[in-house]
Amino acid sequence: MTSVEDHRVVDVLPTREAGPLAAWLIHHPGVEIICRDRAGAYAEGARRGTPDALQVADRFHLWQCLGRAVETCVAAHRDCLRNPSPSGILPEATRPAPGQPQDGSEPLGRRAERKKAAHALVHEMLAQGHSRRAIARHLGWGLNTVLRYAAAARWQDTIRENRPRSSRLGPYKPYLERRFAEGCTSVTRLHSELVAEHAPVTYAMVRAHIATLRGAPAAAPPRPPTVRQVTGWLTRHPAPLTEEDRAGLKEVLARCPELDKAAGHVRDFGEILTDRLGSTLPTWIDAVDVSQQPGLTGFALHLLRDLGAVTAGLTLDWSSGSIEGAVNRIKKIKRQLYGRAGFELLRKMILLQ
């Protein structure tokens, strides 16, 4: 503790109750700023001991409390972490065409280069005034080939026209492979599961694909992220996250819309804390209250009980971060003396250090 009269007054109180703190403040008048954690006893003791002082909730402890709330929220949606396909076994409505990259970029490879060059050549000769039959005779190609290149507005369209015919089982192979990796190797059972979802497949199709899987080396299914792992992804600054962590977080948020909303609330609170936007805190609390997120909603509503101190902590520069190292040393001394000495000895050892 410090006061205005004695610029460096340090003391140790016997309990975490409001009474000793209020008594200490009364005997050391002049305190103007009290930076504290969210303990209700400290708030009450400060109010009774020096009602005119400005109470400031420490930002580190605010973020620490938010982290516990986020962990509760992630734990409530732990099924989203374990189930990679919560929407069922049916294939997605839109799948990339075979031979086409999934990210929307241009096709690659020697075949794509040949298609691109042939398309450019045909359209160049057409621009020069040559007929399609003349181009076919000049290049030694079939007329249908030239017609196909001439009709394609873009060279990529020629690859789409040549894509192989897909199998009826193709869209369901990822599901079969996942179920096989989970230990379900019964062709009858797997076929029944697909038929129950109205998949247009036969028993022979499923049996043939499972036979190929039995001959392939067994691959262990990827382990789902833990609750604490996802909590760390959500509460840490995005900059130090590895590419693998970012990909894992993106996948989790894509599978669970509720966690995606929670991630937005965490980001918004981080901006309020970092940019000292304490005046916007009530709006953030209302948004979290409406979303009814487990853990986060309780944290947000609990801030209303200490709104003045929390707003000050998210607005002013005061923080107890500079003394957290000293607090850790005090806790170490306390653990060393646990059960072997009284408060007076503990107080002397702390003050001597």
Side-chain angles (χ1 to χ4, degrees), residues 236-286:
R236 293 206 304 270
H237 194 279
L241 292 180
T242 65
E243 290 297 329
E244 183 179 358
D245 291 342
R246 293 175 186 174
L249 176 59
K250 183 178 180 180
E251 184 179 355
V252 168
L253 297 185
R255 291 200 301 263
C256 186
E258 293 301 316
L259 280 183
D260 193 26
K261 293 179 184 178
H265 293 318
V266 174
R267 286 193 300 268
D268 292 342
F269 190 85
E271 292 178 1
I272 294 174
L273 185 146
T274 303
D275 299 334
R276 305 291 193 275
L277 303 175
S279 59
T280 65
L281 182 62
T283 303
W284 182 85
I285 294 175
D286 291 340

Side-chain angles (χ1 to χ4, degrees), residues 169-181:
L169 185 66
Y172 306 95
K173 286 182 178 180
Y175 171 76
L176 292 175
E177 292 163 3
R178 177 167 65 84
R179 294 286 287 126
F180 187 85

Side-chain angles (χ1 to χ4, degrees), residues 56-274:
V56 179
D58 179 57
R59 289 184 293 278
F60 168 78
H61 290 93
L62 285 172
W63 192 257
Q64 193 177 46
C65 292
L66 175 70
R68 289 194 289 267
V70 171
E71 185 170 2
T72 301
C73 184
V74 175
H77 300 289
R78 65 173 75 244
D79 288 342
C80 296
L81 313 184
R82 291 196 297 260
N83 299 332
S85 300
S87 59
I89 67 174
L90 292 179
E92 296 180 2
T94 58
R95 291 182 177 270
Q100 298 292 322
Q102 299 184 11
D103 57 359
S105 60
E106 291 188 350
L108 302 176
R110 287 180 294 179
R111 179 171 178 267
E113 292 297 328
R114 289 197 302 268
K115 293 282 185 180
K116 185 176 182 180
H119 181 268
L121 178 59
V122 169
H123 280 265
E124 181 181 356
M125 296 184 70
L126 286 173
Q128 294 173 359
H130 298 287
S131 68
R132 288 162 176 75
R133 290 184 181 275
I135 295 173
R137 286 195 300 269
H138 178 75
L139 297 177
W141 295 353
L143 178 59
N144 288 335
T145 301
V146 175
L147 292 175
R148 189 163 58 248
Y149 281 114
R154 303 181 312 124
W155 68 270
Q156 293 90 336
D157 298 334
T158 62
I159 292 182
R160 292 193 182 97
E161 291 179 358
N162 292 335
R163 61 189 178 187
R165 184 178 179 182
S166 60
S167 165
R168 284 187 294 168
L169 185 66
Y172 306 95
K173 286 182 178 180
Y175 171 76
L176 292 175
E177 292 163 3
R178 177 167 65 84
R179 294 286 287 126
F180 187 85
E182 292 173 352
C184 181
T185 59
S186 170
V187 176
T188 302
R189 180 175 178 181
L190 293 173
H191 176 255
S192 300
E193 291 177 2
L194 292 179
V195 170
E197 295 292 337
H198 307 289
V201 298
T202 64
Y203 180 88
M205 292 179 183
V206 178
R207 181 180 59 188
H209 188 61
I210 295 301
T212 62
L213 295 180
R214 288 194 176 113
R223 296 181 59 185
T226 65
V227 170
R228 298 199 67 179
Q229 203 172 8
V230 176
T231 302
W233 293 344
L234 291 172
T235 55
R236 293 206 304 270
H237 194 279
L241 292 180
T242 65
E243 290 297 329
E244 183 179 358
D245 291 342
R246 293 175 186 174
L249 176 59
K250 183 178 180 180
E251 184 179 355
V252 168
L253 297 185
R255 291 200 301 263
C256 186
E258 293 301 316
L259 280 183
D260 193 26
K261 293 179 184 178
H265 293 318
V266 174
R267 286 193 300 268
D268 292 342
F269 190 85
E271 292 178 1
I272 294 174
L273 185 146
T274 303

